[in-house]
Amino acid sequence: MTSRLRIAIRLASTLALLIVPPLALQRASAQTTVTSERPATFTLPNGLQVLVIPDHRTPVVTQMIWYKVGSADETPGKSGLAHFLEHLMFKGTAKHPAGEFSKTVLRIGGNENAFTSTDYTGYFQRVPREQLAKMMEFEADRMTGLILKDENVLPERDVVLEEFNMRVANNPDARLTEQIMAALYLNHPYGRPVIGWRQEIEKLDREDALAFYKRFYAPNNAILVIAGDVDAKDIRPMVERTFGDIPAQPAIPAHRLRPQEPVPSAPRTVTLSDPRVEQTSVRRYYLVPSANTAAAGESPALDVLAQLLGSGANSYLYRALVIDRQLAVSAGAGYQGTSLDATQFMISVSPKPGVDFSQIEQVIDSVIADIGQNPIRAEDLERVKTQLIAEAIYAQDNQATLARWYGGALTSGLSVDDIRSWPDRIRAVTAEQVRDAAQKWLDKKRSVTGYLVKDAAPKREEKRS
């Protein structure tokens, strides 16, 4: 497999996970069977947390190991290190040389991948159930047995830089998001891109990767999620045999402490110009609480508010901008609820040609002001709550989605009960809570507005004869 194809496959998987937060992954499926059995959980003496999600419909199992470390946990000046190490975790151990793990997964008809976010790094395999013990042995071995040499570290750094070019440098939309996030977070490391800043990626080396690996990759900093045709009573002895002798890393703190954001005091704007832009856009990000940091009821209210504002043709922003005033070709909103620290509420609009950004912003502001000042229509509130709850139930039909859902949430400070009670908390959201959320959190002082515009290509100078 070429490095470019490997990047494309990994990127597709990573974006599928990262664009949709794990609590919202409940909304990703259109199937109808409900998997309602409560996952079994236990913790080994060395601190490894284990969650087992039985699903006996097919003889397949998904193994995911989630490390509670992401780009926000990197040493300042070494951005991209968590993602770089994710790549290097496929370089082999003394027991299993580079390529053996991946070739084994391919040979038995499975699939695998890995992903890095701000709060976690994860690795997964989906294989026939009888192959689980082998996958578990591979994963336990590379938790502590990784071997890195300059001859495979430095070429992989080039692969990451190529990925940076594909994902960011040659993608105006991604560059705008990068700049918005850097402006939104003045103090918190969420302002650093997960893939890193180019000038810092270029300097990452073997020693950086090994130090990060030894610091964070340990059983007491990991969650093992097993979903599929398994029983918890059989999984526990298998996990104990495979992971039980790996020592804990006592230097890892029980709770991650990061620099936090000051109270926002002024709106900010960024403009990105690029000759490759085919569609201009306006994006506004608000700094808001995550499900982990919000007061009771606030996070579900923000979920409902995002659905009301920007999900589908009946949403308020879509109707106002696309249907009624015909100023835009698309409009949407989202809330990134699953995050360890303060997170983002996002609005995105693609204007029609010739429409000024100021016109778009006036409509956005008026729609938000209306929600904050007037009661939500009861039928609208019930419609979006029903949509959220129904999609949450439907998505439970996919074992890999469930594994992502639980793993992403648990590594972001939530509990199994938080995850399972999410539909009930959505059902309990009131019109007053939605109004209060709009008033309190969608304050322009808490926002960064980004503009993506087409920049004229530079003219070539004519040669004089």
Side-chain angles (χ1 to χ4, degrees), residues 369-381:
D370 184 65
I371 292 176
Q373 295 167 6
N374 300 304
I376 305 280
R377 291 186 295 272
E379 58 270 27
D380 289 343
L381 184 62

Side-chain angles (χ1 to χ4, degrees), residues 404-415:
R404 292 188 185 103
W405 171 14
Y406 279 100
L410 290 172
T411 49
S412 301
L414 302 178
S415 68

Side-chain angles (χ1 to χ4, degrees), residues 99 211 215 321-322 341 440:
R215 180 181 174 190
L321 287 161
V322 180
D341 295 316
K440 183 175 182 179

Side-chain angles (χ1 to χ4, degrees), residues 148-164:
L148 298 179
K149 300 177 182 178
D150 281 339
E151 56 261 36
N152 54 33
V153 170
L154 299 182
E156 197 65 31
R157 187 178 64 191
D158 292 337
V159 171
V160 172
L161 287 167
E162 183 181 1
E163 184 177 352
F164 176 89

